[in-house]
Amino acid sequence: MALLGVVAFSLTFPATAWGLESFGPWSLVALRSVLAALIAGVFLLAGRVPLPARAHWAGLAVVAGGVVAGFPMLTTLALQTSTTSHAAVVVGLLPLTTASFSALRTGARPSPRFWAAAVAGAAVVLGFTLAQSGGALSTGDAYLFGALVVCAAGYTEGGRLARLMPGWQVIGWALVLCLPLTVTGSALGLAYEPVHLTGHGVAGLVWAAAGSTFLGLYVWYRGMAEIGAPRASQLQLAQPLLTLVWSVALLGEHLSPAAPAAACAVLVCIAVTQRVK
């Protein structure tokens, strides 16, 4: 389940790049969250799911701020000046950051071998993505590193809550919690940002809402609940490499010949993190 989430997430940056062909950054993020919230609302109503316990609302607010609002907004702003391959540097460091947040928040204590493999995997992906961008940092890096922090917090808290309620309810209630803000943001964004509808733009918006936000986070949180946030997070080491594949296939970006070697090194690190506690 966690791996399915990684595959869904790997399409987020290309889908966002497509969406920016039709919408401004604020409109795209707000509309993405509104559509995802509508999908979640249908499931919650159909299942007659009761409101979460009051004790869970603070955690849901962290999920909403991290993965519903913060990460999409910051990465969308970054993609106005960065390529998808360069933006993958965020995902390259996200597994290690998520494991660190989880250790602090939940008291998880993975072994030294786990941390060694996690650091090695992060180093491989970071080095590869920086090499892809010519070794230079873009003007969007402040957004990217901010996105890294808020997303790791949202993943950690969502994984914790997914042990107490189904994963789709975690992301569903987080989306509903943000709905007043995202509806207002959609109205303001559409009023002030130009809209030029294209096939790519609409497809990007739909995938970002239904695939990356709702479906992707549902299976991701369910997987995290089963195997724990530290182990699940390391599966995301494969995400930047998958994103690079999509960026070549969908956006026509150039893929370095070093990609196969980096992919093999990352797979070895993932295998180690999945075999140790």
Side-chain angles (χ1 to χ4, degrees):
M1 298 298 286
L3 186 58
L4 285 175
V6 170
V7 174
F9 297 155
S10 71
L11 279 160
T12 301
F13 286 167
T16 301
W18 272 7
L20 287 171
E21 294 181 11
S22 294
F23 305 95
W26 297 96
S27 303
L28 178 61
V29 171
L31 287 171
R32 162 186 174 171
S33 296
V34 168
L35 290 178
L38 293 176
I39 296 171
V42 169
F43 278 89
L44 291 169
L45 288 173
R48 297 182 178 179
V49 179
L51 289 172
R54 183 176 298 179
H56 299 332
W57 281 104
L60 289 170
V62 174
V63 175
V67 302
V68 175
F71 185 80
M73 188 71 259
L74 291 169
T75 53
T76 299
L77 290 172
L79 285 172
Q80 291 188 291
T81 56
S82 299
T83 64
T84 57
S85 58
H86 185 84
V89 70
V90 174
V91 180
L93 293 174
L94 187 55
L96 180 60
T97 309
T98 301
S100 301
F101 267 72
S102 178
L104 293 172
R105 179 67 177 89
T106 67
R109 294 292 181 267
S111 70
R113 285 181 60 195
F114 173 94
W115 288 115
V119 170
V124 169
V125 176
L126 178 59
F128 178 67
T129 51
L130 286 177
Q132 280 290 103
S133 61
L137 296 178
S138 72
T139 56
D141 283 325
Y143 293 128
L144 294 174
F145 287 112
L148 170 72
V149 174
V150 298
C151 189
Y155 279 173
T156 298
E157 197 64 22
R160 185 188 68 82
L161 288 173
R163 296 184 176 184
L164 306 174
M165 65 177 75
W168 70 272
Q169 292 183 24
V170 174
I171 185 56
W173 286 119
L175 286 163
V176 171
L177 183 65
C178 278
L179 197 54
L181 179 64
T182 54
V183 168
T184 302
S186 297
L188 292 174
L190 292 173
Y192 289 98
E193 292 179 335
V195 175
H196 306 288
L197 292 182
T198 65
H200 280 176
V202 173
L205 171 63
V206 170
W207 177 260
S212 299
T213 303
F214 182 71
L215 176 62
L217 286 168
Y218 159 55
V219 295
W220 175 245
Y221 284 142
R222 183 172 175 181
M224 290 182 79
E226 293 291 332
I227 65 175
R231 287 181 63 195
S233 68
Q234 299 313 298
L235 293 171
Q236 278 198 298
L237 286 170
Q239 186 173 325
L241 301 175
L242 289 171
T243 297
L244 291 172
V245 172
W246 299 128
S247 70
V248 171
L250 300 176
L251 304 176
E253 294 185 6
H254 175 68
L255 184 64
S256 167
C264 291
V266 165
L267 290 175
V268 170
C269 293
I270 291 174
V272 173
T273 62
Q274 299 307 298
R275 291 179 64 86
V276 299
K277 298 292 187 181

